[in-house]
Amino acid sequence: MNKIEPIVSVIVPVYNVELYLKRCLDSIIKQTLANIEIILVDDGSTDNSGKICDEYLRVDSRIKVIHKKNGGLSSARNAGLDIASGKCVGFVDSDDWITDDFYEILYKLMKKNNADIVSCDYKIVHNESKKLHAKKTCKKNVICLYADEKIGIQYLKSITKGGCTDASCCTKLYKKEAIDKIRFINGIIYEDFIFNWQIIKKATKYVKFNNGMYFYYMNNESITNDAFNEKNYDLIKVANMLKDDERYNQFPLYKYLIDQYEIKCHFSILIKMIKSKYNDAIKIKDEIEIVKINYRILIDSSLSLTRKIVVIIIKLLPIKLIYYYLKI
């Protein structure tokens, strides 16, 4: 008898998450869409995460486990993509979890609309006093359908506004043929941005379901990691990759949105430097100059009123006074 092809391949990169991994895997195993394969990629864990993967392998025949040397998130996801056999592909980070009907709902929406990508909203869950508090990011179950060039415009508008839902690959279900040979870029953070862009720019239909079915766990370590480090410059690399797209020069709206995204990346880096009390005066000065030159783009963007006031301060004041007012 021929083996039935799974509908969805769920790829879970695993690295030193022994405290959270079982919660994640239990949520995937309980999916109401039963015909799935679950690919666990142990990316060189040094705790008990690899052993937990093997424990689950023995109790659920749908699970496959890859043990590999540590290569980072992109490398782990790519290893999963290389062996995925499902008609569709999804990703779940190993400290997060999903609703029981997550993949059933997304697959039905994909099939009904013949979409290449289906996305849902997410809920941020904070670790406060050992209690989990979920923050809803939407109020209504709204289904939006985007087609052809509107997909790229919607994506750019969303990430320019700081839309993590559209940027993340974990809130999505992809047709495997839409991914084709596209892979995550190794060695950069914000790898989801470009992975999604490469798929979106050739997709014909994209469905967005504004219901929070993915639970993004933000622990104290996640908050600490928000401090500035040199890898934050990968934001600019991502912006430059977007500018390399042929549509950047062909369509004024694409150019406007990508330029706005790039300047907001520089502003975001400057804010992180300020909050982290970063002490490289030359690099801080470079970011201040970029904000000064492009302040109008930031003022016209979706920044909060507080951030716009910061932009005005940066524009009007000499650098020495900016240091004083912003406590650099």
Side-chain angles (χ1 to χ4, degrees), residues 128-191:
E128 299 172 0
S129 302
K130 297 183 180 179
K131 294 181 180 180
L132 299 180
H133 299 281
K135 178 182 177 182
K136 291 194 72 172
T137 58
C138 64
K139 296 180 179 180
K140 296 180 180 179
N141 295 346
V142 179
I143 298 174
C144 302
L145 176 64
Y146 303 93
D148 302 323
E149 71 278 358
K150 291 182 179 179
I151 302 174
I153 291 171
Q154 186 274 336
Y155 181 70
L156 291 172
K157 283 182 176 179
S158 177
I159 65 171
T160 299
K161 291 179 181 179
C164 294
T165 299
D166 282 298
S168 173
C169 69
C170 291
T171 57
K172 293 177 177 57
L173 181 64
Y174 306 86
K175 276 186 180 177
K176 189 180 179 185
E177 61 190 49
I179 296 177
D180 193 22
K181 296 180 181 180
I182 294 170
R183 293 295 183 266
F184 292 90
I185 299 173
N186 286 309
I188 68 167
I189 57 177
Y190 314 110
E191 60 281 310

Side-chain angles (χ1 to χ4, degrees), residues 22-158:
K22 290 184 179 181
R23 179 181 63 192
C24 172
L25 299 184
D26 287 342
S27 75
I28 300 172
I29 287 171
K30 292 189 296 183
Q31 289 298 294
T32 53
L33 180 66
N35 187 14
I36 63 176
E37 71 172 354
I38 306 165
I39 303 173
L40 311 181
V41 185
D42 171 27
D43 191 38
S45 296
T46 57
D47 64 1
N48 289 316
S49 297
K51 292 180 181 178
I52 294 171
C53 291
D54 291 336
E55 288 174 11
Y56 276 77
L57 174 65
R58 289 191 287 270
V59 299
D60 195 316
S61 61
R62 299 173 300 173
I63 291 178
K64 298 177 181 179
V65 177
I66 299 173
H67 295 286
K68 61 183 286 295
K69 291 182 179 180
N70 180 253
L73 181 61
S74 291
S75 173
R77 287 173 173 171
N78 289 340
L81 280 172
D82 289 343
I83 69 165
S85 60
K87 298 176 183 177
C88 309
V89 175
F91 302 91
V92 180
D93 283 347
S94 50
D95 52 353
D96 302 336
W97 68 98
I98 54 180
T99 60
D100 293 352
D101 54 0
F102 182 84
Y103 283 115
E104 181 180 6
I105 289 175
L106 294 187
Y107 180 66
K108 284 181 177 178
L109 286 170
M110 175 175 282
K111 196 172 180 181
K112 179 181 178 181
N113 296 282
N114 191 26
D116 298 299
I117 315 167
V118 180
S119 177
C120 74
D121 213 328
Y122 67 98
K123 297 176 184 178
I124 299 173
V125 183
H126 295 277
N127 181 14
E128 299 172 0
S129 302
K130 297 183 180 179
K131 294 181 180 180
L132 299 180
H133 299 281
K135 178 182 177 182
K136 291 194 72 172
T137 58
C138 64
K139 296 180 179 180
K140 296 180 180 179
N141 295 346
V142 179
I143 298 174
C144 302
L145 176 64
Y146 303 93
D148 302 323
E149 71 278 358
K150 291 182 179 179
I151 302 174
I153 291 171
Q154 186 274 336
Y155 181 70
L156 291 172
K157 283 182 176 179
S158 177

